[in-house]
Amino acid sequence: MTIPDLSKPQAISPTNGTNAPASENNSFDRRTLLMSSGAVLLAGAAYFGVKEYLSPTARVFIARGQRYDGPLVQTIADGLIATGIDTAWLRGKNVLLKPNLVEPTRRAPHLTTHPSVVVATAEVFTRWGAVVTVGEAPGHVRDTEMALAESQLGPALASAKIPFADLNYQTTAWLPNHGKTCKLDGFHFPQAVVQADLIVSLPKLKTHHWAGITAAMKNMYGTIPGIRYGWPKNVLHYNGIPQTVHDINASLPNTITVVDAITCMEGDGPIMGTPKQLGLILVGTNPTAVDATAARIMGLRPEGVSYLQLAAGKLGPIAQRHIEQRGESWQELVSPFEILDVPHLRSLRDKPGVFVT
């Protein structure tokens, strides 16, 4: 496989479908990192249809038949290379891995990112010379040590000697809101987020009773510190979940994703749902494109997911024609998820699907 040279200036800019830079103090030059092959600028696009039509292409990798005790390191490395990551650029860079530990309990391991996925991703980036930290600001739990224990991530990180950053309580820095779809002028982000050269969203694929799905982009709520926004961060909810999901992603440093879709959650997610086995790992350097692909696999319309509507053509593509598939074809993997039978979620399906009450 030929790995594209992503160190060239044409790789990425804030206008070609990825996130905006975190701050001028962050020395990272996004053009040196990632790629979306065939990317084109959106200059002159004035409305959604035109933006979507002109959206750059992004690559999404899917691996099937995955297990938590399987060769996840190889799978994740293959996925990152297939989607165009520049492994040479990573040497010496600060990489923050952001799992989902929203409300962990040993009784429901399908609620949080599995420790094996976190540790395997850390090993991949460490092998490529990056300085890796795992960080999370659990949205429903003030006691982070309890969250690490209940999710069983704490012992796994300790065994692998991977440092953890408690994003709920770190010193914060205020960064302007680059998304501008909600009324917040900016966001307080923890130190580990602001100083990261690259953030890797490590979500658990789940349904969400408000947003429809929670995957790469919604997982970034966990970069918002409870010490500033409280628990469960209702400031964000009051300003609109789709809008704040979009704006947080637009304001973060460069973000890519590895999705734990091995054992997922359906029904009354993201907390009260039931396990659903998919056996998939999804990887991509554009979280918008990955979430759109995840929605299709779940039997849902990406165009019906409000935060993806906002992101389409600005943070990344959601149209199938703008997403290059790597690995498995999503069409062969569609397995409709149960979703709540509530009015605001019914438009997520093209045709009647499985609803629960």
Side-chain angles (χ1 to χ4, degrees):
M1 175 183 296
T2 300
I3 301 173
D5 181 1
L6 304 175
S7 63
K8 303 304 182 186
Q10 70 271 19
I12 265 181
S13 73
T15 56
N16 73 352
T18 60
N19 301 332
S23 72
E24 293 181 357
N25 293 330
N26 188 335
S27 60
F28 171 71
D29 179 351
R30 65 177 50 245
R31 292 178 301 175
T32 65
L33 172 58
L34 309 171
M35 70 335 49
S36 291
S37 65
V40 294
L41 296 177
L42 299 178
Y47 58 94
F48 174 84
V50 174
K51 286 181 178 179
E52 182 55 27
Y53 182 76
L54 296 176
S55 286
T57 299
R59 298 173 183 166
V60 175
F61 172 87
I62 306 173
R64 73 161 84 190
Q66 299 299 304
R67 306 191 318 268
Y68 293 122
D69 61 351
L72 291 174
V73 172
Q74 188 62 54
T75 297
I76 293 167
D78 289 346
L80 289 167
I81 290 172
T83 52
I85 196 149
D86 182 356
T87 59
W89 178 86
L90 286 165
R91 183 163 296 281
K93 296 297 191 295
N94 292 316
V95 174
L96 177 66
L97 308 186
K98 163 61 183 73
N100 182 338
L101 303 182
V102 59
E103 193 174 307
T105 168
R106 296 173 194 263
R107 298 187 300 276
H110 57 291
L111 204 155
T112 52
T113 310
H114 196 282
S116 297
V117 175
V118 180
V119 171
T121 306
E123 182 171 341
V124 171
F125 283 97
T126 300
R127 286 183 181 181
W128 288 339
V131 180
V132 175
T133 301
V134 175
E136 161 70 318
H140 295 184
V141 180
R142 293 173 181 267
D143 185 344
T144 307
E145 290 189 8
M146 185 273 283
L148 288 170
E150 285 296 311
S151 66
Q152 303 191 54
L153 179 60
L157 296 181
S159 177
K161 299 182 180 178
I162 301 168
F164 178 82
D166 188 343
L167 304 185
N168 266 334
Y169 296 99
Q170 276 196 334
T171 301
T172 63
W174 188 89
L175 299 181
N177 177 359
H178 288 285
K180 303 185 187 311
T181 66
C182 77
K183 295 180 179 179
L184 297 173
D185 292 330
F187 300 97
H188 295 276
F189 286 113
Q191 180 181 9
V193 171
V194 175
Q195 294 179 345
D197 297 299
L198 178 67
I199 299 175
V200 184
S201 179
L202 296 176
K204 170 73 80 179
L205 183 59
K206 299 183 286 187
T207 52
H208 192 284
H209 53 194
W210 288 115
I213 74 169
T214 174
M217 295 180 69
K218 179 65 174 63
N219 186 42
M220 291 296 98
Y221 256 39
T223 62
I224 296 297
I227 197 170
R228 287 281 190 179
Y229 294 86
W231 288 261
K233 305 172 186 176
N234 277 332
V235 172
L236 304 180
H237 298 158
Y238 293 147
N239 280 274
I241 292 176
Q243 291 82 3
T244 49
V245 168
H246 171 273
D247 288 359
I248 289 169
N249 278 271
S251 305
L252 285 169
N254 296 278
T255 305
I256 66 174
T257 186
V258 175
V259 180
D260 173 4
I262 297 177
T263 301
C264 310
M265 178 184 285
E266 65 179 354
D268 192 7
I271 305 295
M272 304 297 290
T274 54
K276 182 178 178 65
Q277 192 68 23
L278 274 189
L280 303 180
I281 290 287
L282 280 67
V283 180
T285 52
N286 186 288
T288 303
V290 173
D291 279 9
T293 302
R296 291 187 171 96
I297 293 172
M298 298 166 78
L300 306 175
R301 298 173 53 247
E303 300 81 3
V305 179
S306 297
Y307 74 80
L308 288 177
Q309 290 178 4
L310 295 172
K314 293 188 292 184
L315 303 185
I318 67 171
Q320 182 181 338
R321 63 180 178 278
H322 294 304
I323 300 175
E324 293 183 18
Q325 216 67 56
R326 295 289 185 270
E328 306 291 343
S329 170
W330 68 265
Q331 289 90 342
E332 300 175 1
L333 303 171
V334 173
S335 180
F337 278 46
E338 293 181 347
I339 58 175
L340 289 181
D341 187 12
V342 291
H344 67 276
L345 297 183
R346 289 171 189 158
S347 64
L348 294 180
R349 295 200 190 280
D350 281 326
K351 52 187 178 183
V354 182
F355 293 96
V356 295
T357 57

